[in-house]
């Protein structure tokens, strides 16, 4: 079984929320981490300073453009001296009514599809050479919204469903050199969840078998397991406190 000790890990959108917890747990396991951030420089710097070990780097860049993804991967590769794993954690949504088909404009639909599908494709296209050479791991942040018809908006749910299918396609296309897996968390109480009302949070909690939201450290731990397990690819791991059952 692979170990993260001494491995070089890029976490796209890694300065806050789930991304920051993934960064912390990877560093605690002995990995050297490249932390990508878009605008939160101070937060990224504070996170980097708090990490155990040395050699961690910050990588500023916009993961929602092809050029940005290429720049992020290039800077991380140069900063770490190579890549053994990439966590593609970026995403975007608009909170909107499911019952109003015009609640999300065409422009917003395309923005969501670009952020939640195309950006992940651009990241792996940029990182493919490094990950193939190092028999590495590519992890995608999906969502239970891609498995069931729920979430912040129909556009978001559809985009995450497409992302899940992309992850399965990539696993097939990149085998046997690169392991590709997706993680589908339920509702997590990060800054992202600020768009949900208290009633919506309660509805999600009540619907889960464990009667709770998905704890961020628990979700991040799944990324560690998938990076360290050399026998899993093409899977979608739901971590939702039983929300989908």
């Amino acid at each position: 079984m692979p170990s993260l000790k001494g491995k070089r890990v890029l976490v796209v959108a890694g300065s806050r929320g789930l991304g920051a917890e993934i960064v912390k747990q990877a560093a605690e396991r002995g990995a050297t981490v490249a932390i990508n951030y878009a605008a939160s420089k101070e937060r990224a710097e504070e996170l980097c300073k708090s990490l155990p070990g040395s050699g961690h780097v910050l990588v500023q860049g916009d993961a929602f453009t092809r050029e940005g993804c290429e720049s992020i991967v290039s800077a991380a590769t140069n900063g770490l001296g190579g890549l053994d794993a990439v966590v593609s954690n970026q995403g975007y949504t608009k909170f909107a009514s499911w019952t109003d088909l015009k609640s999300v404009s065409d422009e917003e639909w395309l923005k969501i599809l670009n952020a939640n599908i195309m950006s992940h494709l651009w990241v792996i296209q940029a990182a493919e050479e490094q990950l193939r050479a190092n028999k590495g791991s590519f992890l995608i942040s999906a969502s239970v919204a891609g498995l069931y018809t729920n979430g912040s908006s129909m556009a978001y749910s559809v985009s995450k469903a497409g992302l899940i299918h992309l992850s399965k396609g990539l696993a097939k296309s990149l085998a046997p050199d690169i392991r590709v897996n997706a993680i589908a968390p339920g509702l997590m109480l990060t800054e992202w969840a600020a768009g949900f009302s208290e009633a919506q949070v309660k509805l999600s909690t009540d619907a889960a078998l464990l009667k709770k939201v998905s704890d961020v450290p628990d979700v991040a731990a799944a990324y560690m397991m998938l990076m360290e397990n050399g026998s899993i690819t093409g899977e979608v791991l739901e971590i939702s406190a039983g929300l989908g059952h």
Side-chain angles (χ1 to χ4, degrees):
M1 180 181 291
S3 166
L4 281 187
K5 187 173 183 179
K7 298 298 184 181
R8 299 155 298 181
V9 179
L10 164 62
V11 181
V12 182
S15 66
R16 59 184 179 177
L18 175 61
E21 183 63 26
I22 293 169
V23 166
K24 292 175 184 177
Q25 291 193 20
E28 289 170 355
R29 281 168 168 73
T32 307
V33 187
I35 307 166
N36 163 246
Y37 68 96
S40 306
K41 183 178 181 180
E42 290 186 3
R43 184 178 299 190
E45 288 176 338
E46 291 176 5
L47 174 61
C48 192
K49 291 176 183 177
S50 73
L51 299 178
S54 60
H56 310 297
V57 297
L58 298 178
V59 177
Q60 193 280 332
D62 179 4
F64 296 149
T65 68
R66 176 183 289 279
E67 294 76 14
C69 292
E70 291 172 348
S71 176
I72 290 166
V73 171
S74 177
T77 301
N78 292 334
L80 298 180
L83 290 175
D84 298 293
V86 174
V87 176
S88 200
N89 181 57
Q90 68 278 11
Y92 173 76
T93 193
K94 178 180 179 180
F95 290 83
S97 169
W98 277 72
T99 58
D100 179 1
L101 295 184
K102 296 181 179 179
S103 61
V104 179
S105 67
D106 288 354
E107 182 181 4
E108 285 287 348
W109 262 94
L110 292 174
K111 184 175 181 180
I112 290 168
L113 292 172
N114 180 80
N116 294 344
I117 299 177
M118 294 306 300
S119 71
H120 298 271
L121 176 62
W122 294 331
V123 170
I124 187 56
Q125 286 177 335
E128 178 182 1
E129 182 178 355
Q130 274 293 312
L131 294 182
R132 278 196 187 276
N134 297 315
K135 303 295 183 183
S137 174
F138 184 64
L139 296 179
I140 291 174
S141 292
S143 169
V144 293
L147 296 172
Y148 317 104
T149 49
N150 59 23
S152 51
S153 65
M154 186 188 297
Y156 179 77
S157 183
V158 169
S159 72
K160 289 297 187 177
L163 179 59
I164 286 170
H165 206 65
L166 174 65
S167 71
K168 293 180 178 181
L170 290 173
K172 185 174 183 178
S173 298
L174 299 172
D177 298 325
I178 304 173
R179 291 173 289 111
V180 181
N181 293 288
I183 295 85
L187 177 63
M188 296 176 287
L189 296 183
T190 63
E191 292 176 36
W192 180 279
F196 288 109
S197 67
E198 289 186 14
Q200 288 173 313
V201 172
K202 185 178 186 303
L203 184 66
S204 178
T205 302
D206 290 345
L209 295 181
L210 298 181
K211 305 303 178 187
K212 56 181 280 188
V213 297
S214 302
D215 293 328
V216 175
D218 289 341
V219 176
Y223 288 76
M224 304 304 112
M225 183 276 289
L226 289 170
M227 280 191 279
E228 293 178 334
N229 193 308
S231 299
I232 301 177
T233 196
E235 296 300 322
V236 181
L237 181 55
E238 179 181 342
I239 308 172
S240 64
L243 185 61
H245 298 280

